[in-house]
Amino acid sequence: MARPPAVELRRRNRAAMLEQLHRHGPQTRAELTEALGLNRSTIATIASDLAESGHLQETTGRSTGSAGRPSTLVECVPKALAVAAIEIRADRVRFALIGLGGEVLERAEAALEAGAAAPEVAAAAAGLVGPSGAEAVAAVPGLVDAGTVAHSTELGWTDRDVAADLAAATGREWRVVDTATAAAVGEWSRGDAHEATKLLYLHGGRGLTAGLVVEGRAQRGGSIQLGHIVVEPNGRECACGLRGCLEAEMEAFGYAEDIEDATVAAGMGDAAARDALRRSGEDLGRALGAVVTATGPDEILFGGWLRELYLSAAAPVRSALAGTTLPHLRSRLRLRTPVLGDEGALTGAAETGFAALIDQMR
Ligand SMILES: [Zn+2]
């Protein structure tokens, strides 16, 4: 049965206020009035609603204006609503319980045996997570769709229903996003990429993946297998069965340290190292040309060890991208490095959970 319009409106306003405080931190009622475009009495009603439900509290905070009178701040209660986030890597599972407003309430990690199968990884996750958190979200490196990892070079998994593995081990439901998409959501919500409408995040781990988010939201189909875009039709054989995949061509640069070593060597006049960096930059730029043409992002972030490659070989990346992308797609494109570093994927996994929780309140 449809809810009456007034009830509907009140729910929507509550969700909007909670989202505003969650994303932007403590604010005065006057600031909320302006940000949400609601009148003062509505703000007061909604704030006391949310205080009653335990989601927010009012505190005497910073002083404002020349009078120096402390103003009352409205802020989230972190423990009122939390999301359990995990990030699965080849060698470990990391867990964070993140509260409303973005505060990290708990943190833990467990080491994994090399080549651990999905049920073992899920069991390790279960040991960390427990029952806390209103939503549980996992970030997994690879091509992910609707809870299933279609392919992960890093984990060696193919067509694995990771959501089901995690549910069986923990007795609760899970959302699964790929690591690159999670990091993109993290950089958009808690980093400095919030101006990007379509944000493409490139993740360099033991495989190369990418995630496209629109207005900071994970999209079904936004998980991209960057590493298996063919850049050399007669190139090296790839583990996936194709030839000349980006991942196979860039094999020599599996880790950030390799890039750093090559950069140092190139700087000291090592021609082979300089050539290798340039070639890898060009291969990456060409693969990106295909992704940019297909998806039309306005910002690209180079994450994981691709950050080091981009910092060492920005010119070849840019020129190869320029040679493979339409000018109108290129002109508005910003290329940058992420600011959250290693925390991006966990942060973004949690934000994906919060987006779902706040949507449910509307
Ligand atoms: Zn491949």
Side-chain angles (χ1 to χ4, degrees):
M1 199 174 73
R3 290 187 289 261
V7 175
E8 194 76 47
L9 189 61
R10 196 150 162 168
R11 279 179 65 96
R12 235 181 299 141
N13 287 340
R14 279 169 55 111
M17 184 181 290
L18 208 57
E19 185 175 38
Q20 176 71 16
L21 292 167
H22 170 69
R23 285 204 47 216
H24 303 286
Q27 282 161 68
T28 63
R29 283 191 181 189
E31 285 166 339
L32 284 171
T33 305
E34 192 176 327
L36 299 176
L38 298 168
N39 64 44
R40 284 171 57 182
S41 74
T42 305
I43 290 290
T45 310
I46 303 300
S48 73
D49 257 20
L50 285 168
E52 204 164 299
S53 60
H55 290 94
L56 61 81
Q57 59 195 7
E58 299 199 75
T59 56
T60 306
R62 63 184 181 225
S63 60
T64 53
S66 52
R69 202 157 48 87
S71 62
T72 302
L73 286 176
V74 184
E75 64 180 17
C76 293
V77 176
K79 286 184 177 153
L81 200 59
V83 173
I86 63 167
E87 181 194 1
I88 298 174
R89 297 187 181 186
D91 60 351
R92 68 201 131 128
V93 185
R94 304 171 72 213
F95 159 69
L97 181 68
I98 298 184
L100 201 56
E103 189 183 318
V104 177
L105 302 172
E106 278 176 48
R107 209 183 252 290
E109 65 175 65
L112 294 174
E113 296 283 334
E120 296 167 48
V121 175
L128 300 172
V129 179
S132 47
E135 278 278 339
V137 185
V140 185
L143 180 66
V144 174
D145 187 34
T148 296
V149 176
H151 179 91
S152 173
T153 304
E154 176 153 348
L155 302 169
W157 299 350
T158 305
D159 289 326
R160 189 76 215 179
D161 189 343
V162 176
D165 290 326
L166 286 167
T170 61
R172 61 189 299 181
E173 270 187 53
W174 285 80
R175 291 173 194 276
V176 180
V177 286
D178 71 277
T179 300
T181 295
V185 172
E187 295 287 336
W188 190 89
S189 12
R190 303 270 168 205
D192 66 356
H194 48 271
E195 276 169 19
T197 306
K198 276 190 179 179
L199 176 65
L200 181 69
Y201 187 103
L202 314 178
H203 172 68
R206 291 189 191 171
L208 301 177
T209 57
L212 183 77
V213 303
V214 179
E215 312 242 296
R217 292 279 190 132
Q219 308 290 308
R220 182 139 192 220
S223 178
I224 296 164
Q225 265 304 33
L226 179 68
H228 299 283
I229 291 175
V230 173
V231 290
E232 302 285 350
N234 297 309
R236 299 183 200 185
E237 214 170 288
C238 180
C240 74
L242 295 173
R243 220 167 234 295
C245 291
L246 181 63
E247 235 167 73
E249 293 299 316
M250 289 173 61
E251 203 174 26
F253 286 136
Y255 302 94
E257 306 86 76
D258 299 336
I259 305 276
E260 281 162 25
D261 290 349
T263 306
V264 171
M268 289 168 69
D270 182 332
R274 206 162 45 220
D275 272 4
L277 278 173
R278 180 183 49 76
R279 264 200 321 276
S280 290
E282 286 170 355
D283 285 342
L284 178 60
R286 267 197 294 279
L288 275 183
V291 178
V292 168
T293 301
T295 60
D298 47 11
E299 189 162 319
I300 300 179
L301 296 175
F302 295 79
W305 64 264
L306 289 178
R307 176 180 187 277
E308 273 62 43
L309 177 64
Y310 178 67
L311 292 175
S312 298
V317 170
R318 285 175 177 274
S319 74
L321 180 59
T324 49
T325 321
L326 293 173
H328 85 275
L329 289 173
R330 207 165 67 225
S331 61
R332 58 173 191 187
L333 189 59
R334 293 182 299 272
L335 305 185
R336 299 171 49 204
T337 54
V339 297
L340 298 180
D342 240 16
E343 291 305 301
L346 265 185
T347 304
E351 290 303 327
T352 299
F354 280 113
L357 286 171
I358 290 171
D359 277 355
Q360 284 157 21
M361 294 177 72
R362 283 185 222 275

